[in-house]
Amino acid sequence: MSITDTKPQLKGQNVATVNIFRYDPSTTDEAHYDSWQVPITGSMTVLDLLFYILEHEDGSLAFRYACREAICGSCALYVNGTYRLACKTQLKDLKATEINISPLPHLKVIKDLVVDMDPFWEKYERIRPYLITRDDLPEKEFLQDPADRLKMDDMVDCILCGACYSSCPQCWTDPEYLGPAALVKMNRFTVDTRDQANQERTKIFDNEHGVWRCHTIFNCVEACPKDINQTYSIQHLKRRAVARRFGGK
Amino acid sequence: MSSRRHLSELRGNSDLYPRNVRTGMYAWLFHRITGLALVFYIILHIFVIASVNFGGGSFDATMRLLTSKPFVLIDLTLVAVVLYHSLNGLRIIFFDLGYGIKNQRGIFWALMAVGTVIFVFAAVASSRLLFRA
Amino acid sequence: MSVRDQGQPAWLVGPGGAMAWLLQRLSGFILIILLATHLLLLHYGGDQQLVFASVTIRLKTLLFIIIDTGLLALGLYHGLNGLRNVVLDYDLSRRAGSVLTTVLWIVGIFMTIYGATALYSFWAGRGVFGG
């Protein structure tokens, strides 16, 4: 039973031309795009499209996915010139009959649509993405005012998909730059009233590979599938760094 | 069956050719370009003006050259460059103070409109220099 | 994780850029005001502003000396700091970063002094090089 046996026939349905970036380091082939004619409906997602190709056209296509509901952050891709989550992007929103699917730009490609996310994780770990407390440990839980919790509200939405990191020109030119995702997470902990490590944290973001490399380019804000405003957080960190410099806490 | 296409055939995948307009990125790019142009200009300008040290004769000759008709257009370009860099710089200062980050595109175009108006005034003023006897 | 500069992790390299960032904004803002004045008075203020004779008169007035000194010093600071930032955007080691900063300071100070010789020559009575 060949891979094409169960393939749906193209019978006057809507058909799209799908071009997918292919690269296999285990072969000597150079990177290229493979092109297919695929029957589609508007409510199909890009991930559905990838499954179609995988199941009926080319079983060697490599791509990441897990939850299929925009929470795991695995399926961030570059589709028709925009940063998208494959599972959440419906074809009708692309408004095109030619669909170009590429891996996240400016990250090393491992195979096809799978990229090396190590630089992204490294920056994430650097900013110490966990609560740091020293003294005054409560007996039970940390009590936090709902108003204080609200301050962190959109910053906890980050699903670590890497789209913002991949879209930032400063990340392209400075591989040591922390990047928008790490800085948002840094702000999340800086603003968290339970966290007691503000001085250490300031040293991590107040340096030439930290906030000062952000030039308010806004690509990150445009790329984010969770509508987080990274620039807003980074600007807050910059103001904090300046306040500290002139004798604040 | 798949057909194979070369990387260069699909322009839609280059970050230089994005499908969404990306105002913020182009604003930054031109801010950087105009900034570099202005650094080059200021160094030149200091050397030219410091030629007062070498006497009025040579200074006046230089200034006559630099205010001659072909240079009026160059001057207008300089005005445009300065206007762009200043107005976008003001926009950046707004963001740094915490205002307007959610409306960054609107603020950019509003400031560009202001800049265009000022530029028109400058062009009209310079045209009188261009068409004087 | 990359480790450079006497075993320090790369991400702790260098002083923070907080002061430079702040001064860039302050100098930029003041430059806008000074430049607007400069352009309106000199370039759109009539035909005879750009001859040696007018320069001589202007540079004996305190107001113009202040405006021009501001433009010189702040303009150079803002521009060279901007250049510094452009170069820093391309990952530099701590040593390269210090060399860059030092070179730019030297250029800035030299240009400021050179410009000042012209600005203050009339205040002193005659051009520095005998003009």
Side-chain angles (χ1 to χ4, degrees):
Chain A
M1 186 166 175
S2 92
I3 198 172
T4 51
D5 274 0
T6 52
K7 186 168 135 180
Q9 295 306 306
L10 292 166
K11 263 192 308 244
Q13 290 168 281
N14 286 331
V15 167
T17 307
V18 181
N19 305 310
I20 301 186
F21 180 89
R22 305 302 303 276
Y23 172 65
D24 189 346
S26 66
T27 66
T28 50
D29 213 1
E30 56 169 25
H32 60 277
Y33 282 89
D34 277 341
S35 192
W36 292 278
Q37 300 294 113
V38 176
I40 60 162
T41 66
S43 57
M44 272 173 81
T45 60
V46 173
L47 188 61
D48 290 334
L49 207 57
L50 292 172
F51 279 133
Y52 178 92
I53 307 282
L54 184 72
E55 287 163 21
H56 301 297
E57 299 282 4
D58 185 344
S60 72
L61 179 67
F63 55 94
R64 283 194 176 119
Y65 66 94
C67 70
R68 299 169 292 110
E69 53 173 6
I71 198 66
C72 71
S74 307
C75 62
L77 293 171
Y78 194 66
V79 180
N80 280 7
T82 52
Y83 295 83
R84 305 274 191 175
L85 290 179
C87 64
K88 184 170 112 155
T89 306
Q90 290 186 312
L91 298 185
K92 65 178 184 234
D93 294 330
L94 292 175
K95 298 193 179 71
T97 49
E98 182 154 2
I99 301 169
N100 303 325
I101 304 177
S102 295
L104 284 179
H106 303 278
L107 287 170
K108 187 154 164 284
V109 178
I110 297 175
K111 184 182 177 207
D112 298 340
L113 301 173
V114 176
V115 293
D116 181 9
M117 293 282 284
D118 279 349
F120 178 79
W121 297 123
E122 196 217 318
K123 310 303 183 299
Y124 188 66
E125 280 173 52
R126 270 190 212 176
I127 59 113
R128 311 231 189 130
Y130 42 82
L131 202 66
I132 298 174
T133 56
R134 299 268 133 73
D135 44 331
D136 292 343
L137 288 178
E139 283 208 7
K140 293 184 186 176
E141 74 276 20
F142 277 99
L143 291 177
Q144 189 175 48
D145 198 295
D148 287 337
R149 167 62 183 81
L150 259 177
K151 286 189 206 148
M152 308 188 303
D153 218 22
D154 70 324
M155 296 184 276
V156 302
D157 285 348
C158 177
I159 59 173
L160 304 171
C161 68
C164 63
Y165 186 84
S166 156
S167 73
C168 177
Q170 297 299 92
C171 291
W172 306 343
T173 55
D174 181 0
E176 296 293 326
Y177 173 49
L178 287 176
L183 286 170
V184 167
K185 197 56 77 174
M186 175 64 97
N187 196 36
R188 175 242 176 281
F189 283 102
T190 306
V191 147
D192 194 337
T193 45
R194 304 167 298 168
D195 188 80
Q196 291 167 354
N198 266 325
Q199 205 152 3
E200 281 172 56
R201 293 196 190 276
T202 307
K203 251 205 322 190
I204 300 174
F205 67 75
D206 177 6
N207 68 60
E208 295 293 359
H209 292 299
V211 283
W212 308 118
R213 290 277 67 74
C214 170
H215 298 316
T216 62
I217 296 170
F218 288 99
N219 268 8
C220 53
V221 176
E222 305 230 3
C224 182
K226 290 286 169 179
D227 296 329
I228 298 172
N229 197 312
Q230 295 90 330
T231 310
Y232 191 81
S233 290
I234 299 176
Q235 293 300 100
H236 181 252
L237 288 175
K238 287 181 191 170
R239 283 196 295 278
R240 243 209 146 88
V242 172
R244 264 185 177 272
R245 204 30 158 87
F246 294 102
K249 27 141 214 95
Chain B
M1 286 296 106
S2 72
S3 64
R4 192 192 158 102
R5 302 173 68 170
H6 192 266
L7 239 50
S8 59
E9 281 182 54
L10 281 122
R11 298 189 60 218
N13 284 290
S14 158
D15 264 296
L16 293 174
Y17 188 66
R19 293 300 175 88
N20 51 340
V21 179
R22 297 209 201 151
T23 311
M25 182 169 90
Y26 289 109
W28 162 75
L29 185 65
F30 284 110
H31 196 75
R32 182 155 283 198
I33 293 173
T34 53
L36 290 171
L38 286 169
V39 173
F40 175 72
Y41 174 76
I42 197 181
I43 308 264
L44 217 63
H45 190 56
I46 292 174
F47 278 115
V48 165
I49 300 301
S51 73
V52 289
N53 276 328
F54 302 109
S58 74
F59 183 78
D60 277 339
T62 314
M63 292 318 285
R64 261 197 301 277
L65 172 67
L66 293 177
T67 53
S68 62
K69 288 186 187 168
F71 279 89
V72 173
L73 283 173
I74 297 179
D75 268 347
L76 267 179
T77 315
L78 179 65
V79 169
V81 165
V82 168
L83 273 173
Y84 179 86
H85 195 86
S86 317
L87 291 170
N88 196 40
L90 277 176
R91 170 175 167 264
I92 293 173
I93 292 178
F94 286 146
F95 299 154
D96 291 338
L97 293 169
Y99 303 120
I101 292 176
K102 304 233 162 45
N103 307 312
Q104 59 105 358
R105 279 189 225 110
I107 293 177
F108 178 76
W109 292 114
L111 286 172
M112 289 302 108
V114 169
T116 310
V117 169
I118 298 176
F119 182 75
V120 165
F121 274 109
V124 166
S126 297
S127 69
R128 283 195 271 113
L129 284 172
L130 205 51
F131 297 115
R132 71 181 167 196
Chain C
M1 193 184 291
S2 66
V3 174
R4 293 179 290 196
D5 306 309
Q6 300 103 43
Q8 280 253 355
W11 48 274
L12 284 178
V13 159
M19 183 64 95
W21 180 86
L22 186 66
L23 288 178
Q24 191 72 347
R25 272 76 187 150
L26 283 174
S27 63
F29 186 73
I30 298 174
L31 274 171
I32 291 180
I33 300 171
L34 291 177
L35 251 183
T37 318
H38 179 79
L39 287 175
L40 283 170
L41 288 176
L42 262 69
H43 297 279
Y44 299 105
D47 268 350
Q48 288 308 310
Q49 300 297 338
L50 300 180
V51 294
F52 189 78
S54 318
V55 173
T56 314
I57 297 170
R58 270 204 307 279
L59 287 179
K60 288 193 172 146
T61 11
L62 190 62
L63 176 67
F64 279 103
I65 292 181
I66 292 177
I67 293 177
D68 284 354
T69 309
L71 280 170
L72 177 67
L74 293 177
L76 278 170
Y77 178 82
H78 189 89
L80 294 174
N81 193 16
L83 248 187
R84 175 179 158 268
N85 270 296
V86 173
V87 179
L88 278 180
D89 281 350
Y90 297 86
D91 188 23
L92 291 181
S93 68
R94 175 185 236 155
R95 160 163 284 145
S98 322
V99 169
L100 172 73
T101 310
T102 311
V103 167
L104 288 173
W105 269 111
I106 292 174
V107 171
I109 291 175
F110 170 76
M111 293 296 304
T112 308
I113 294 175
Y114 185 63
T117 60
L119 282 182
Y120 292 95
S121 58
F122 299 94
W123 188 256
R126 62 186 197 88
V128 168
F129 299 112

